[in-house]
Amino acid sequence: MVAEIAIAPCGPITGSIRPPGSKSLTNRALIIAALAKGQSTLTGALESEDTEVMIDSLRRIGVSIAHDPANHTLTVEGNGGKFRGDNTEMFIANSGTSMRFLTALATLGTGTFRLDGIARMRERPIGDLIEALRQLGANIRTELDNACPPVLVDAQGLPGGKATIAGNISSQYLSGLLMAAPYASSEVQLEVDGELVSQPYVRMTTQIMRDFGVTLQENDCRRFVIPGGQTYRGREYAIEPDASAASYFWGAAAVSGGQVTVEGLSRDALQGDVGFCEALAQMGCQVEYQADQITVTGGTLRGIHIDMGEISDTVQTLAAVALFADGPTTITGVAHNRHKETDRIGDLACELRKLGAAVDEREDGMTITPGKPQPARIETYNDHRMAMSLALVGLRQEGIVILNPGCTSKTYPHFFEDLAKICGS
Ligand SMILES: O=C(O)C1=C[C@@H](OP(=O)(O)O)[C@@H](O)[C@H](O)C1
Ligand SMILES: C=C(OP(=O)(O)O)C(=O)O
């Protein structure tokens, strides 16, 4: 990949696109299909670094996965939870979903497993998940005793029982526990302690678990009871296009004053990030929901006040749009964004200032007061979303250069090609 990419301003963008498959659904479906009895065929799957590390790790613990890239299809032979480890290494790069879901899965097997990633992954917390798995009887610890990866698991199946889990740093801990729980020897009761961020991802988890044939009780995303000794059943499963990736194209309509249709998503999508369209509607865009597509039409943009705790992966997209609004935008409820691929509050504020905005940074968000947009060389901090979101500014402002654009390979390797196509260049 090139070291940098200059974005060419264009007029109002009109077009339609089907983004690649959802990262969150692909990685959940892979975990569940690996545990299942029988074969699963996952269609519309994402092919990117985050799914490659998941596939590679599952293969290392004995799961057979065939990949047909031309048809975006993965065929998984479930092994019923019979994983064996012998100091088995899983290298997870910087995929939060893979790290948290595979940590929980590894406790179901027998033998020893070690999960590690790149330097940033070694700074991303996992202590609350380790603590909850210990409450369920797992023998698990972090190698450096710092509540961050590498993670060491010495597994002999997961006994089960009661656990409380903190939900203020990441919902991925709870999702990982939930997906593993049906394979515990006895019933698992989970209770969320305090605030739960990113709730729509937990609802996605319980839905896909049911879709693969297990039962569980849930009470308002706070308490869960999952009978032990259950089995997922292999099946065909169609994965929705990625709604967080879609936000860049809806955002492009807003920034350029054009009209963009994203195919394969609807208001009822499993992914909460379709809620980004409502944020754009508040800012003055028109949104049309149909059975299998959502169209955003740009309009005069106004600043808004919004809690983005449920749609935190779209904060950077909204920030790019906010630069073209007629007043300040305040984003709250996303303190957990400081623990993602980079500090998505502090580092985002820094790049927005380069683009001419005044930014008042707070612990859980920021107020963005747009100024006169400026040409800028944008640092991406190895964060795919920094690259994809701030590229939108270049559709309207001359002289925007995105550094290290290859970082989009985490979830969207062909992002810049797709953006160029929809811009008609
Ligand atoms: O469960 C998931 O698939 C995800 C949950 C969210 O993380 P947090 O729960 O850490 O906010 C989100 O940011 C991430 O991209 C995917
Ligand atoms: C936060 C993200 O990913 P993850 O936590 O899965 O690494 C993301 O894709 O924006």
Side-chain angles (χ1 to χ4, degrees):
M1 208 355 157
V2 293
E4 58 184 59
I5 192 164
I7 309 295
C10 59
I13 294 170
T14 316
S16 74
I17 181 155
R18 187 180 176 98
S22 154
K23 169 197 79 172
S24 295
L25 286 167
T26 303
N27 275 356
R28 280 170 176 71
L30 279 164
I31 287 276
I32 289 177
L35 282 169
K37 183 163 185 289
Q39 189 182 75
S40 295
T41 307
L42 313 179
T43 58
L46 175 64
E47 283 115 359
S48 76
E49 183 178 281
D50 275 15
T51 55
E52 274 159 23
V53 295
M54 174 65 89
I55 291 169
D56 178 64
S57 300
L58 290 172
R59 284 182 176 146
R60 280 163 182 259
I61 58 172
V63 181
S64 158
I65 302 173
H67 182 197
D68 172 2
N71 292 307
H72 310 295
T73 297
L74 296 164
T75 306
V76 184
E77 306 298 333
N79 82 354
K82 308 259 179 295
F83 308 113
R84 289 203 150 273
D86 183 9
N87 291 324
T88 304
E89 291 275 342
M90 300 186 215
F91 182 75
I92 279 156
N94 195 12
S95 170
T97 52
S98 304
M99 179 55 81
R100 280 73 180 255
F101 301 169
L102 286 164
T103 291
L105 177 117
T107 64
L108 301 174
T110 15
T112 46
F113 304 87
R114 181 175 180 276
L115 298 91
D116 198 2
I118 65 168
R120 174 61 181 170
M121 180 53 90
R122 285 180 166 212
E123 296 173 349
R124 296 183 67 185
I126 197 162
D128 293 330
L129 175 58
I130 306 277
E131 177 50 37
L133 286 165
R134 281 202 188 130
Q135 291 172 40
L136 298 176
N139 186 2
I140 181 167
R141 66 187 178 89
T142 57
E143 191 173 88
L144 307 173
D145 255 339
N146 62 352
C148 291
V151 174
L152 299 174
V153 185
D154 189 349
Q156 264 195 326
L158 187 65
K162 287 188 186 174
T164 51
I165 176 77
N168 61 324
I169 292 184
S170 174
S171 69
Q172 294 172 3
Y173 309 151
L174 177 55
S175 287
L177 289 169
L178 283 166
M179 286 188 282
Y183 284 70
S185 319
S186 59
E187 180 180 273
V188 172
Q189 293 183 23
L190 299 173
E191 180 160 355
V192 177
D193 184 14
E195 182 198 4
L196 174 63
V197 298
S198 296
Q199 269 195 38
Y201 290 99
V202 176
R203 290 195 284 272
M204 173 195 291
T205 303
T206 53
Q207 183 60 50
I208 190 170
M209 288 171 67
R210 291 187 171 111
D211 289 343
F212 277 80
V214 302
T215 60
L216 72 154
Q217 289 167 29
E218 63 185 299
N219 188 341
D220 206 18
C221 252
R222 305 295 309 171
R223 276 187 201 81
F224 301 83
V225 179
I226 308 104
Q230 301 190 69
T231 313
Y232 293 114
R233 285 192 297 275
R235 54 167 286 179
E236 276 197 25
Y237 187 80
I239 289 164
E240 295 174 351
D242 194 288
S244 323
S247 77
Y248 308 113
F249 300 105
W250 290 318
V255 164
S256 75
Q259 183 174 74
V260 175
T261 298
V262 171
E263 289 159 16
L265 288 171
S266 71
R267 203 197 277 272
D268 304 328
L270 290 172
Q271 300 164 81
D273 276 3
V274 293
F276 177 70
C277 293
E278 285 307 298
L280 289 181
Q282 276 183 52
M283 292 186 85
C285 297
Q286 259 181 39
V287 183
E288 194 194 343
Y289 296 95
Q290 286 175 277
D292 197 33
Q293 61 184 44
I294 304 177
T295 302
V296 169
T297 308
T300 304
L301 296 169
R302 47 181 178 263
I304 58 170
H305 195 294
I306 183 170
D307 180 337
M308 297 189 82
E310 295 211 333
I311 55 169
S312 60
D313 283 359
T314 64
V315 164
Q316 290 141 300
T317 327
L318 195 85
V321 177
L323 293 178
F324 300 100
D326 62 6
T329 289
T330 297
I331 297 169
T332 62
V334 290
H336 56 299
N337 266 17
R338 293 192 185 271
H339 303 291
K340 305 223 179 199
E341 283 77 339
T342 190
D343 170 355
R344 286 184 177 165
I345 297 180
D347 296 336
L348 176 62
C350 180
E351 298 315 299
L352 294 172
R353 288 184 189 117
K354 283 187 196 166
L355 291 162
V359 183
D360 177 16
E361 181 186 334
R362 282 180 308 281
E363 191 44 39
D364 78 329
M366 59 178 68
T367 296
I368 304 161
T369 306
K372 185 173 161 7
Q374 306 288 323
R377 293 171 63 76
I378 300 298
E379 291 292 344
T380 46
Y381 308 86
N382 205 25
D383 179 1
H384 53 141
R385 303 209 185 282
M386 202 70 91
M388 296 190 279
S389 57
L390 297 184
L392 302 183
V393 181
L395 302 178
R396 209 155 129 177
Q397 166 63 41
E398 291 281 351
I400 302 299
V401 174
I402 304 293
L403 303 176
N404 185 24
C407 67
T408 70
S409 62
K410 185 173 189 285
T411 55
Y412 200 159
H414 302 298
F415 173 74
F416 284 102
E417 284 102 307
D418 284 359
L419 185 66
K421 260 188 235 156
I422 204 161
C423 293
S425 52

